[in-house]
Amino acid sequence: MKVGKFLVAFVFSLIFMARNCFAFGESDPIALQDLNNNPSNYVVCGGASIGVVFYVYKNSIDVQNYSPPNYQIAFKMLNYSSNGMKGEYFRERAYYMDKKYKYDYNERKIYIERQDENGNLYWQFIDPKIIGTFEGYKQGWDKDMAAGEIAFYIIYGRSFFDSPVSKSAEAYINGKN
């Protein structure tokens, strides 16, 4: 009986580990090649301590609504990951994620398009007060805020806020990235 429980627990742990290993999606060889050949087309907007880096793909930025003080921008975010190993065991992956942002310049509010569990799209406010906190990191808002700030700056040549909220946007806008 103990062996049976062990085997069930072992199988479930394997399934869990496999699911987490492939949670980042399939690698896009074209995206990976473009990142390696044209790194200036990509701006770092976040990362994780597990070898994952997020980039705003500058060539994909599309202004979908220009009605000051309201704006809407879409672009591709590149998710890049590497196992950090050397030699024949080195593996890297990259793929694009479509992102859409809505901006209210009068209110100084940025929203990101999300999808609920039923597939319905909605706009979620990115609260700048929690950027740089554990809560902001946990919800992925740090990279989302940075990406939104960077895309706005690339298109309009000015910071959305009086000064950038996120560290990645601050680094890019101040020329350090």
Side-chain angles (χ1 to χ4, degrees), residues 75-176:
F75 59 88
K76 293 189 180 300
M77 181 184 288
L78 182 76
N79 177 323
Y80 169 82
S81 61
S82 159
N83 65 4
M85 300 178 86
K86 297 185 185 231
E88 67 180 287
Y89 298 108
F90 175 73
R91 300 289 181 269
E92 57 184 350
R93 300 159 57 110
Y95 67 92
Y96 294 112
M97 301 176 289
D98 293 325
K99 296 291 183 175
K100 229 181 239 187
Y101 286 78
K102 187 168 73 168
Y103 304 81
D104 180 337
Y105 196 77
N106 283 348
E107 298 290 324
R108 291 297 204 279
K109 290 185 175 181
I110 297 178
Y111 301 84
I112 185 168
E113 186 178 67
R114 298 279 195 215
Q115 189 173 37
D116 68 16
E117 61 277 353
N118 297 320
N120 301 312
L121 298 176
Y122 67 96
W123 292 104
Q124 182 178 27
F125 171 64
I126 304 174
D127 188 351
K129 293 177 186 157
I130 69 167
I131 301 306
T133 68
F134 178 70
E135 187 64 26
Y137 175 78
K138 186 173 80 175
Q139 293 187 30
W141 285 4
D142 284 9
K143 74 171 172 33
D144 290 336
M145 176 63 86
E149 286 186 286
I150 290 167
F152 191 88
Y153 182 82
I154 289 170
I155 292 297
Y156 300 113
R158 66 176 192 250
S159 177
F160 181 76
F161 300 102
D162 292 332
S163 63
V165 171
S166 62
K167 296 290 183 204
S168 295
E170 181 179 36
Y172 179 73
I173 290 170
N174 292 333
K176 297 175 189 165

